[in-house]
């Protein structure tokens, strides 16, 4: 632990918090093993993220499996990391949000002519780094699903855990100590190359490894010390979150907070959105208006979160919308991500309610179907299920689909900030509530809908009437002119300035 960081941003925390933080890293060392030796990383052109955005993936030089093309079985060419006119995008394949933000960043860098290297801590599969993260993710996903099915646990346990335990400054210290476990992945990276972190563990590890310029992308609209990485520049998506993080509002635990984050270390960037989406906002909004005026079925995009907690909610929506689907007043496009188990639960309910569906699980065919959606407006009817084993496809299918859909039905997660009309269903953790607040206040989404009767009423309104949809579209176009959705481009500019 570096002595400079025992007092987050110059503020004291209680002795008990310091002790607990030190104990937690010792526990991790005992449970997951000692720290790895520094990784020797090289860059390979792998996967759809390379084909779409020229992103090179960082892997260990001695990892034969990672350096092998799964399609051809041949060893992929590799290159050394070149710090000139390039950035490293650091993320964790933990849920969908951190990866979706990384993809938005890759899109923006590609547009600006900046080369991207992707570093995903979960990709080092046979290391204690990936094992420890997978262990923590397993608990988070399990509790997230439990919270959706057990009201008492959600209200009295999970809501508090997701809004209180990560709120105070001792959480930032705890994350830094935990992240010291991940430093070996960064130790041999050229220190002069800018690193943009889509998760605070990545940011802390990069700072501790000596990286000279680290950008921490804060996704949450509720100020939580969990996201803070001292020694980095923080980017924020909304004005209210900027104020909260800048002043460390409500983050004291024990001693009073006396110092704020320096203004040089925090920037209001805007929403982290892919260039392919922001550059087509006017076109996509015009297409939504045309479908509305032509009386086409309302295209509802349902997106499963990384924890897979919404299967029963989706079943209820499909059952309620069955009459509208049969009357061709609505169509459902449900992205299940990579959740085969959750799909089995939804499938059981669809079969029981005699709701027919079309399955899309081949990535190339999925891309073709989506690209032709606007050319075949009358054919986009019924229920369409998207399920892809490849993690990139599981995440990015939502991004492709939202351009051609009218309304996205989602929990208020990172998708709260995307430029498509949104119906926000029940959050998974109290920290997500502020995503719906942001969306509803800037006019591109609804308030959070938490009970079935209200959800059904809102569904009825947005399918049968046009006023709410038209209002959301108007505000999306207004927000676009104000550059609210240009945060990913701004982050890349900050990193490469």
């Amino acid at each position: 632990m570096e002595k400079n960081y025992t007092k987050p941003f110059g503020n004291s925390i209680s002795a008990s918090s310091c002790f607990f933080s030190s104990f937690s890293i010792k526990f991790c060392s005992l449970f997951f093993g000692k720290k790895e030796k520094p990784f020797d990383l090289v860059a390979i052109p792998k996967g759809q993220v390379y084909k779409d955005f020229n992103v090179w993936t960082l892997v260990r030089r001695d990892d034969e499996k990672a350096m092998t093309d799964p399609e051809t079985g041949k060893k992929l060419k590799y290159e050394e990391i070149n710090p000139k006119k390039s950035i490293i995008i650091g993320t964790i394949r933990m849920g969908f949000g951190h990866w979706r933000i990384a993809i938005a960043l890759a899109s923006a860098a590609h547009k600006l002519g900046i080369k991207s290297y992707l570093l995903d801590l979960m990709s080092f599969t046979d290391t204690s780094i990936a094992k420890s993260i997978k262990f923590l993710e397993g608990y988070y996903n399990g509790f997230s699903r439990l919270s959706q099915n057990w009201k008492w646990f959600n209200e009295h346990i999970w809501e508090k855990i997701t809004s209180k335990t990560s709120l105070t400054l001792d959480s930032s210290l705890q994350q830094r100590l935990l992240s010291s476990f991940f430093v070996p992945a960064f130790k041999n990276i050229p220190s002069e190359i800018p690193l943009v972190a889509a998760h605070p563990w990545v940011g802390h590890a990069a700072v501790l490894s000596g990286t000279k310029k680290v950008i921490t992308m804060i996704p949450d609209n509720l100020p939580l010390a969990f996201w803070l990485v001292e020694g980095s520049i923080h980017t924020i998506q909304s004005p209210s979150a900027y104020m909260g993080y800048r002043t460390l509002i409500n983050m004291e635990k024990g001693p009073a907070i006396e110092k704020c984050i320096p203004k040089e270390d925090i920037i209001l960037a805007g929403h982290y959105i892919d260039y392919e989406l922001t550059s087509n906002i006017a076109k996509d909004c015009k297409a939504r208006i045309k479908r509305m005026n032509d009386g086409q079925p309302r295209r509802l995009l349902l997106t499963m979160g990384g924890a897979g907690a919404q299967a029963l909610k989706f079943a209820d929506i499909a059952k309620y919308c069955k009459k509208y689907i049969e009357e061709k007043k609505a169509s459902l496009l449900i992205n299940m991500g990579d959740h085969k188990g959750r799909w089995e639960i939804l499938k059981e309910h669809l079969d029981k309610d005699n709701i027919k569906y079309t399955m899309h699980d081949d990535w190339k065919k999925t891309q073709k179907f989506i690209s032709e959606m606007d050319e075949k407006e009358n054919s986009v009817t019924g229920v369409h299920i998207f399920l892809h084993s490849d993690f990139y496809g599981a995440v990015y299918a939502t991004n492709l689909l939202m351009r051609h859909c009218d309304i996205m039905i989602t929990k208020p997660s990172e998708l709260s900030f995307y430029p498509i009309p949104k119906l926000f269903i029940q959050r998974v953790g109290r920290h997500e509530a502020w995503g719906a607040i942001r969306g509803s206040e800037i006019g591109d989404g609804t308030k959070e809908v938490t009970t079935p009767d209200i959800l059904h009423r809102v569904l009825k309104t947005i399918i049968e009437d046009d006023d709410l949809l038209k209002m959301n579209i108007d505000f999306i176009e207004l927000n676009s002119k104000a550059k609210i959705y240009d945060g990913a481009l701004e982050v890349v500019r900050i990193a490469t300035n």
Side-chain angles (χ1 to χ4, degrees), residues 264-323:
E264 297 80 12
D265 293 346
I266 185 168
I267 297 171
L268 175 59
H271 296 191
Y272 310 137
I273 309 298
D274 312 61
Y275 177 74
E276 289 70 32
L277 293 171
T278 60
S279 61
N280 285 292
I281 284 176
K283 178 182 177 182
D284 296 343
C285 286
K286 184 178 180 181
R288 291 181 186 113
I289 293 293
K290 186 178 186 303
R291 286 194 293 272
M292 183 173 64
N293 292 337
D294 291 347
Q296 295 294 326
R298 195 78 84 218
R299 297 177 181 177
L300 306 181
L301 169 60
L302 284 67
T303 61
M304 179 67 69
Q310 296 87 24
L312 296 179
K313 188 78 68 177
F314 286 4
D316 175 70
I317 291 171
K319 183 177 181 179
Y320 179 79
C321 289
K322 182 180 179 182
K323 60 180 179 181

Side-chain angles (χ1 to χ4, degrees), residues 24-39:
S24 63
I25 189 61
K26 291 178 181 177
F27 171 79
C28 286
S29 298
L30 289 171
F31 198 82
F32 302 114
K34 296 180 179 180
K35 291 181 184 178
E36 306 278 348
K37 293 180 179 180
F39 295 170

Side-chain angles (χ1 to χ4, degrees), residues 136-315:
L136 296 169
E137 182 192 27
Y139 270 95
Y140 183 87
N141 290 349
F143 287 137
S144 293
R145 293 170 185 170
L146 182 62
S147 72
Q148 298 298 287
N149 300 319
W150 185 9
K151 187 177 180 180
W152 183 92
F153 175 81
N154 184 55
E155 291 182 357
H156 298 281
I157 306 295
W158 196 234
E159 289 272 292
K160 293 179 180 178
I161 288 176
T162 53
S163 61
K164 297 294 185 182
T165 57
S166 299
L167 174 62
T168 51
L169 278 179
D170 59 321
S171 176
S172 179
L173 177 60
Q174 291 165 17
Q175 306 319 314
R176 180 173 290 275
L177 286 165
L178 175 61
S179 300
S180 66
F181 205 65
F182 311 138
V183 167
F186 301 85
K187 202 66 177 177
N188 288 333
I189 292 174
S191 62
E192 65 270 28
I193 185 170
L195 186 143
V196 186
H199 193 288
W201 295 345
V202 175
H204 284 301
V207 170
L208 291 171
S209 70
T211 303
K212 293 178 180 178
K213 189 170 187 179
V214 179
I215 313 296
T216 298
M217 301 174 72
I218 294 182
D220 243 334
N221 208 36
L222 169 66
L224 297 172
F226 172 87
W227 300 106
L228 296 174
V229 177
E230 191 168 5
S232 74
I233 297 171
H234 303 84
T235 61
I236 314 293
Q237 297 195 81
S238 74
S240 62
Y242 177 89
M243 177 269 173
Y245 281 105
R246 171 80 164 85
T247 62
L248 304 176
I249 194 167
N250 298 325
M251 294 185 188
E252 57 271 355
K253 185 175 183 180
I257 290 176
E258 297 180 351
K259 297 182 180 180
C260 299
I261 294 181
K263 62 182 180 181
E264 297 80 12
D265 293 346
I266 185 168
I267 297 171
L268 175 59
H271 296 191
Y272 310 137
I273 309 298
D274 312 61
Y275 177 74
E276 289 70 32
L277 293 171
T278 60
S279 61
N280 285 292
I281 284 176
K283 178 182 177 182
D284 296 343
C285 286
K286 184 178 180 181
R288 291 181 186 113
I289 293 293
K290 186 178 186 303
R291 286 194 293 272
M292 183 173 64
N293 292 337
D294 291 347
Q296 295 294 326
R298 195 78 84 218
R299 297 177 181 177
L300 306 181
L301 169 60
L302 284 67
T303 61
M304 179 67 69
Q310 296 87 24
L312 296 179
K313 188 78 68 177
F314 286 4

Side-chain angles (χ1 to χ4, degrees), residues 49 53 55 87-93 96-109 116-120 196-199 217 272 274 392 395-396 399 414 418 488 492:
V49 71
F53 305 116
V55 175
I87 61 172
I88 291 177
I89 301 172
T91 190
I92 299 178
R93 191 168 65 252
F96 293 160
H98 307 292
W99 242 74
R100 197 185 311 280
I101 290 171
I103 294 171
L105 207 61
S107 168
S116 303
Y117 296 106
L118 178 67
L119 190 156
D120 178 3
V196 186
H199 193 288
M217 301 174 72
Y272 310 137
D274 312 61
Y392 176 87
V395 175
Y396 202 59
N399 294 48
E414 82 286 347
Y418 277 71
V492 176

